Amino acid sequence: MSKSKNALFSQEIGLRLALIFGSYLYNIKQLHFGYWSKDMKLELSNLSKAQAGYCGLLRSVIPVNVKTILDVGCGTGALAQELLAAGYAVDCVTPSDFFTSLIASNTDGKSEIFQTTFEELKTDKKYDMILFSESFQYIDIEKGFKKAMGLLNDNGHILISDYFKKDKKMVSGKSPLSGGHKLVKFNELIKGLPLTEIKRLDITEQTAPNLDLVNDLLNNLALPAIECLLKYVKAKYWYNLACSVSSLIFRKKIDNLQRKYFRDERNAENFKKYKQYLVLLYKLNLS
Ligand SMILES: C[S@@+](CC[C@H](N)C(=O)[O-])C[C@H]1O[C@@H](n2cnc3c(N)ncnc32)[C@H](O)[C@@H]1O
């Protein structure tokens, strides 16, 4: 498997697990951080409320002249579903074959679903707005903007809601959290493009609590469950053999997973220290 295919695959597994777990327990249908206002208690049962708050925020920044939207990296299609219900015509881009049928059902067959990466998308259609909700970080900045601008109608808009890496000069140490484009590079590149920034909202404070929620679930639910299973497996005579074979094959992967997810460092404090979550609205300048 190529490096980019491998990254997409492991990202999809993470999203699938989050969805299976979240939808079973709390009917959670979306795959983003949610918007946690100060008065909301940080618990899983409030995640769908926080996610509804986030959708409301995105809807509030969509310009009035927008009628057609391309939702890039649409996850489960739940956000597209809300936008359809609000009267927009919405098409979806997903690189994931697993999510395609769920998106079709969530959007009730009303959206065209492009099953491809955004970079490889081929269509003659044009849209009033291209939306990237927590998906822009997976796409090369320059290629992403170039592609998005080519898909826009005159006076079209690009709405990006995602987190970025803060400038290294502003923070000390290495971030234990991965993901996000470098904000300095992003800001620099955008200057050279025929786009006017209409809105820049910093919602780091309201999205960071999600990290504490996930960190708690990983360390107080997933980890004890895995340890319990391992204890059972270790009691079996074939364990030693399986263990030495798997550690040969998977050691590096297991170490990476442990370092990434179970060190208690994927928390709100570190998110606020190393990342900045922005809602950015751009308008295409007419030449
Ligand atoms: C964190 S999820 C966000 C899902 C959804 N937009 C939401 O806000 O709930 C990231 C999404 O980006 C998609 N994605 C990742 N790489 C992509 C690419 N190169 N082109 C298009 N979508 C991509 C994933 O399949 C996934 O649906």
Side-chain angles (χ1 to χ4, degrees), residues 19-64:
L19 187 65
I20 291 166
F21 185 71
S23 59
Y24 182 77
L25 281 178
Y26 286 106
N27 200 22
I28 287 156
K29 289 186 179 164
Q30 313 203 17
L31 297 172
H32 51 76
F33 284 30
Y35 183 94
W36 296 84
S37 48
K38 267 199 179 123
D39 56 326
M40 281 174 81
K41 199 164 173 217
L42 188 63
E43 51 192 26
L44 194 57
S45 57
N46 274 335
L47 179 56
S48 51
K49 198 170 152 202
Q51 291 185 325
Y54 169 82
C55 293
L57 175 79
L58 288 194
R59 275 183 54 191
S60 74
V61 296
I62 299 176
V64 279

Side-chain angles (χ1 to χ4, degrees), residues 8 11-12 15 29-33 51 54 58 71-79 93-96 99 103 116-120 131-140 161 277:
L8 262 180
Q11 181 202 113
E12 190 185 312
L15 292 175
K29 289 186 179 164
Q30 313 203 17
L31 297 172
H32 51 76
F33 284 30
Q51 291 185 325
Y54 169 82
L58 288 194
D71 183 357
V72 179
C74 65
T76 60
L79 184 53
V93 179
T94 178
S96 154
F99 285 118
I103 298 163
T116 168
T117 61
F118 184 56
E119 296 87 326
E120 284 163 8
L131 167 66
F132 298 89
S133 166
E134 288 185 22
S135 56
F136 195 76
Q137 61 178 279
Y138 303 112
I139 295 159
D140 176 84
S161 178
Y277 196 124

